[in-house]
């Protein structure tokens, strides 16, 4: 067992496990979500950033959707739904017999999603205001938890991962797309913004009890990687 894994296990002991209360672990990145919690959040500015041609996730969104292979009747959690880049396509993919939980920590983003859903007819989307250490989803409620450029915003990753295991059905998938963090290769902004690289995030998720991962080499993704985990 590596020193890193031992440290992560130690942190795990202080995390909240769904259904019990224990002292909260120390934040791994205090203030990472302050902008999103602000009542003065400029949602339209973020919509331009999240859903513009300068973002490779936006450019490759159809390939990402195809990779997920969603089908009618599935239940999906869009964790950190933001401005709804994937919420609408998920709604269409799972159809009226499925449910999309649009989960976000930001009241401003959720209000934007409510308005967008009314305009675009998202009749199977439920909005969920989550906390900083939990997705706040019902037990065994989803087949897929989708975390796109959001994992590095988990301030209490072990507690949040425990809540995702709680929400995922047995055999359900956790799909994590996040930024590569490679000194000398990665852009300076991302080096400062993203707290750790792929291996650290992978280890944290495995320590939380997920199986895998399978790494998907998705054409067109350069700054981002894709890891698929399974809930036992």
């Amino acid at each position: 067992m590596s020193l890193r894994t031992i440290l992560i296990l130690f942190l795990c002991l202080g995390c909240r496990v769904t259904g019990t209360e224990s002292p909260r672990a120390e934040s791994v990145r205090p203030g990472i979500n302050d902008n999103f919690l602000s009542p003065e959040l400029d949602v339209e500015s973020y919509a331009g950033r999240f859903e513009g041609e300068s973002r490779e996730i936006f450019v490759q969104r159809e390939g990402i959707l195809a990779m997920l292979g969603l089908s009618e009747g599935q239940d999906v959690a869009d964790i950190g739904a933001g401005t709804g880049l994937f919420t609408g396509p998920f709604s269409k993919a799972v159809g009226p017999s499925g449910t999309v939980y649009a989960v976000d920590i930001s009241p401003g983003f959720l209000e934007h999603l409510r308005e967008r859903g009314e305009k675009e007819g998202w009749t199977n989307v439920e909005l969920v205001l989550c906390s900083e250490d939990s997705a706040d989803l019902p037990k065994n409620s989803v087949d897929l938890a989708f975390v796109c450029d959001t994992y590095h915003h988990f301030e209490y990753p072990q507690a949040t991962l425990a809540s995702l295991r709680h929400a995922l059905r047995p055999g359900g998938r956790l799909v994590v797309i996040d930024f590569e963090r490679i000194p000398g290769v990665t852009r300076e902004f991302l080096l400062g913004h993203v707290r750790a690289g792929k291996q650290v995030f992978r280890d944290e998720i495995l320590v939380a009890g997920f199986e895998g991962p399978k790494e998907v080499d998705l054409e067109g993704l350069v700054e981002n990687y894709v890891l698929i985990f399974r809930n036992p």
Side-chain angles (χ1 to χ4, degrees), residues 5 7 23 47 62 70 102 105-106 114 122 135 140 142 144 146 157 168 174 176 221:
T5 302
L7 290 172
E62 292 184 4
L70 296 177
I105 199 171
S106 168
R114 183 191 65 76
W122 300 349
N140 294 338
V142 297
L144 169 71
F146 180 74
L168 277 164
L174 169 65
V176 175
L221 293 187

Side-chain angles (χ1 to χ4, degrees), residues 171-186:
R173 293 178 294 160
L174 169 65
V175 175
V176 175
I177 302 176
D178 217 301
F179 294 106
E180 295 279 9
R181 190 184 188 283
I182 306 171
V185 177
T186 302

